[in-house]
């Protein structure tokens, strides 16, 4: 397809964005689904966010993805938020409709869909999540919205600690049937005890991410048991130390974060266009090692 005077556009904003694979993924998907649209990436710093978004609205942009450090500001600027974006307090996908900003967060959707691809439904399950940053919060919130029974959240007393408490309070208020408990990540005994009663264990910290490839927050591999589902939000490397050890221990499902990354993009594509991304093709072309 050729760009013409009627071609619409979407984009990614944040900083840095030069490394992003989103333009290739979305432009390929536009072509495969016959859409007369293009996708670009703009390096936008936090202090430039308001001017950039106003400019996108003026230029007729149909919607945009948001990466760090602009996700929280995107939620603050939105005229309307999905339940997940409101609970998380951050947007990674924004649709512009009649000059209004409608904000979504697809990170958690990607996580839940990735598990479903492995035959795992979070509904009614007990989940232990290590971490409380952006990815962790999205996973916690979307899992709660999708019917998880219990959430055990482990985090250090760091810059995310206040956000952890706030997220837990929001979940309890909006979804009172979900039990939420908070624990210090340093308390390994409490961590292992909660893993023992959990169906799903999630790492949503930087542990295992380059250059921390040799790091795992699980020091005792005996906590891995065949029926435990183990998931990592880290996608570089594709297989973290935690995932390797879980597979070696015979866990029935042990998945890295690349599927979550792919599925959140799939969800954003549908929000933007109402069409289904050719996900299998996208995986083979851009995500498969």
């Amino acid at each position: 397809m050729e760009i013409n005077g009627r071609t619409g556009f979407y984009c990614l904003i944040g900083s840095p964005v030069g490394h992003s694979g989103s333009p290739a993924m979305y432009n390929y998907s536009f072509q495969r689904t016959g859409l007369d649209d293009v996708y670009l990436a703009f390096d936008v710093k936090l202090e430039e966010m308001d001017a950039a978004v106003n400019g996108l609205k003026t230029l007729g942009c149909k919607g945009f993805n948001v990466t760090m450090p602009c996700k929280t500001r995107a939620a603050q600027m939105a005229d309307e938020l999905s339940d997940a974006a409101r609970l998380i307090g951050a947007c990674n996908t924004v649709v512009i409709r009649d000059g209004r900003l409608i904000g979504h967060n697809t990170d958690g959707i990607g996580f839940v869909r990735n598990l479903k691809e492995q035959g795992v439904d979070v509904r009614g399950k007990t989940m232990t999540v290590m971490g409380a940053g952006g990815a962790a919060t999205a996973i916690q919130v979307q899992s709660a919205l999708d019917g998880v029974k219990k959430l055990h959240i482990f985090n250090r007393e760091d810059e995310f600690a206040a956000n952890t408490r706030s997220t837990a309070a929001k979940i309890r208020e909006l979804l009172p049937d979900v039990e939420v408990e908070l624990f210090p990540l340093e308390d390994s005994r409490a961590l292992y005890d909660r893993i023992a009663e959990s169906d799903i264990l999630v790492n949503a910290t930087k542990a295992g991410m380059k250059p921390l490839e040799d790091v795992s927050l699980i020091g005792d591999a005996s906590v891995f048991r065949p029926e435990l589902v183990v998931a990592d939000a880290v996608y570089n490397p594709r297989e973290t130390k935690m995932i390797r050890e879980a597979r070696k221990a015979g866990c029935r499902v042990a998945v890295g974060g690349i599927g979550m990354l792919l599925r959140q993009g799939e969800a954003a594509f549908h929000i933007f266009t109402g069409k289904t991304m050719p996900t299998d093709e996208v995986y083979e072309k851009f995500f498969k090692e």
Side-chain angles (χ1 to χ4, degrees):
M1 296 179 67
E2 295 183 357
I3 295 174
N4 58 65
R6 293 178 297 277
T7 300
F9 84 97
Y10 298 86
C11 65
L12 170 69
I13 60 175
S15 185
V17 295
H19 66 287
S20 176
S22 293
M25 176 179 71
Y26 284 111
N27 284 317
Y28 177 82
S29 298
F30 290 152
Q31 291 178 3
R32 295 295 293 144
T33 53
L35 293 171
D36 185 13
D37 294 299
V38 296
Y39 189 100
L40 304 168
F42 300 113
D43 197 293
V44 174
K45 297 176 176 57
L46 181 59
E47 62 271 21
E48 301 168 333
M49 179 69 171
D50 290 33
V53 171
N54 288 331
L56 292 175
K57 290 168 67 175
T58 300
L59 292 172
C61 177
K62 292 183 173 183
F64 54 93
N65 291 121
V66 190
T67 189
M68 296 301 291
C70 300
K71 292 183 178 183
T72 299
R73 182 58 188 148
Q76 294 168 346
M77 294 180 70
D79 299 293
E80 181 182 334
L81 292 171
S82 68
D83 288 341
R86 187 172 67 255
L87 282 168
I88 297 165
C91 293
N92 72 343
T93 302
V94 179
V95 175
I96 303 176
R97 186 175 298 145
D98 298 325
R100 300 179 73 249
L101 302 176
I102 303 170
H104 302 262
N105 195 304
T106 65
D107 287 332
I109 295 173
F111 172 81
V112 172
R113 286 188 182 174
N114 190 39
L115 284 188
K116 283 189 176 179
E117 287 294 310
Q118 310 300 320
V120 179
D121 191 337
V122 302
R123 185 171 300 278
K125 301 297 194 300
T126 297
M127 180 184 293
T128 293
V129 181
M130 300 179 293
T137 302
I139 289 168
Q140 294 155 15
V141 165
Q142 193 64 50
S143 296
L145 288 169
D146 284 358
V148 77
K149 182 181 178 182
K150 291 183 181 180
L151 270 175
H152 305 310
I153 302 172
F154 284 80
N155 189 56
R156 293 187 175 88
E157 190 65 31
D158 56 14
E159 69 269 26
F160 299 115
N163 181 64
T164 309
R165 291 188 285 270
S166 175
T167 299
K170 290 176 184 177
I171 292 174
R172 290 176 183 131
E173 180 179 359
L174 184 67
L175 302 163
D177 290 338
V178 180
E179 297 179 39
V180 185
E181 291 186 290
L182 306 181
F183 303 89
L185 187 54
E186 295 83 356
D187 189 345
S188 58
R189 185 69 270 156
L191 175 62
Y192 296 158
D193 286 347
R194 294 309 178 279
I195 293 173
E197 66 180 54
S198 293
D199 303 293
I200 304 169
L201 170 65
V202 184
N203 173 52
T205 73
K206 293 181 180 179
M209 182 187 299
K210 288 186 177 181
L212 304 173
E213 298 99 319
D214 296 326
V215 177
S216 171
L217 296 177
I218 305 301
D220 182 0
S222 68
V223 302
F224 298 128
R225 58 190 196 280
E227 67 272 21
L228 181 67
V229 174
V230 182
D232 209 318
V234 173
Y235 59 85
N236 188 17
R238 295 292 183 93
E239 186 178 77
T240 61
K241 180 180 180 181
M242 184 185 78
I243 295 300
R244 286 198 306 273
E245 292 180 343
R247 287 177 177 163
K248 184 177 180 180
C251 290
R252 67 184 183 92
V253 175
V255 294
I258 196 68
M260 174 181 169
L261 180 66
L262 175 63
R263 295 295 170 182
Q264 69 81 25
E266 174 188 65
F269 184 84
H270 187 264
I271 289 169
F272 283 151
T273 68
K275 292 183 177 289
T276 301
M277 175 185 279
T279 309
D280 291 342
E281 293 181 36
V282 169
Y283 176 78
E284 289 293 326
K285 191 171 182 65
F286 300 107
F287 289 85
K288 191 173 182 179
E289 286 187 306

